[in-house]
Amino acid sequence: GAVVSQHPSRVICKSGTSVKIECRSLDFQATTMFWYRQFPKKSLMLMATSNEGSKATYEQGVEKDKFLINHASLTLSTLTVTSAHPEDSSFYICSASRSEETQYFGPGTRLLVL
Amino acid sequence: AQSVTQLDSQVPVFEEAPVELRCNYSSSVSVYLFWYVQYPNQGLQLLLKYLSGSTLVESINGFEAEFNKSQTSFHLRKPSVHISDTAEYFCAVRVTGFQKLVFGTGTRLLVSP
């Protein structure tokens, strides 16, 4: 149990376009979902925390208008990178939690902006 | 604020040798502790966690970690590693009552024949 999926696994887009990444909890209801960004050979940086039906809480330094997060249901959260630029290229990972105890991570989405 | 230190960015080891990946944390309040493993181009998988109770926790694939409150450490150990254990290992902490995970910078375990 506790499987989290992400779609797409890999996306290449042109600079200036927007990209949407989906995160789904497949076999449980996630009260909270998290979005992380991972730079090459670096740790995970928490971008934002989202609870179903409410606005996401962004970490300091993360542009909320740049990285739009929607958590419309207990099994789905989306991250939209608006007007993407090459510096937004990264590995984006979501996680989902059904309790305070454990976060279950998705397989990640590799974004490349040309 | 909490922080996690993984001093070793890379640990090379031969197959069937023992290994220890070090993790130290800093927090003024009680925390939960986690080890996650990340295989190439994949997300993170929970390896083991300490929430309460016995300070020695084990995973199903032979890893174990011991919570040492006095030394604020949660080192990960395995008595005999396999080639398939080659991966990036992340230590993380979470303050009890909160959901935010704080990660260390990771340790790459390289197992060679």
Side-chain angles (χ1 to χ4, degrees), chain A residues 43 59 100-103, chain B residues 38 43 49 94 99-100 104:
Chain A
S43 185
E59 294 297 302
E100 285 187 2
E101 290 189 357
T102 303
Q103 289 182 29
Chain B
Q38 183 180 33
K49 60 185 177 183
R94 183 165 66 76
Q99 292 182 302
K100 179 179 177 179

Side-chain angles (χ1 to χ4, degrees), chain A residues 72-85:
Chain A
S73 75
L74 285 172
T75 59
L76 173 64
S77 176
T78 60
L79 167 68
T80 301
V81 183
T82 62
S83 187
H85 292 285

Side-chain angles (χ1 to χ4, degrees), chain A residues 31-32 34 36 38 41-44 46 51 59 91 93 97 99-103 105-108 110, chain B residues 32 34 36 38 41-46 49 51 88 90 94 96-106:
Chain A
T31 52
T32 307
F34 305 83
Y36 295 84
Q38 186 178 31
K41 299 183 179 180
K42 296 286 186 183
S43 185
L44 279 74
L46 179 64
N51 292 292
E59 294 297 302
F91 195 50
I93 305 176
S97 175
S99 71
E100 285 187 2
E101 290 189 357
T102 303
Q103 289 182 29
F105 285 79
R110 187 161 300 283
Chain B
Y32 297 143
F34 304 82
Y36 285 88
Q38 183 180 33
N41 297 312
Q42 294 186 27
L44 275 70
Q45 299 174 30
L46 179 65
K49 60 185 177 183
L51 303 178
E88 191 85 22
F90 291 94
R94 183 165 66 76
T96 56
F98 293 86
Q99 292 182 302
K100 179 179 177 179
L101 275 172
V102 176
F103 284 89
T105 50

Side-chain angles (χ1 to χ4, degrees), chain B residues 17-20 61-64 76-82 84-85:
Chain B
V19 71
E20 178 180 84
N61 55 356
F63 283 95
E64 65 177 31
L76 181 70
R77 302 184 183 94
K78 189 170 184 178
S80 176
V81 294
H82 300 290
S84 59
D85 291 325

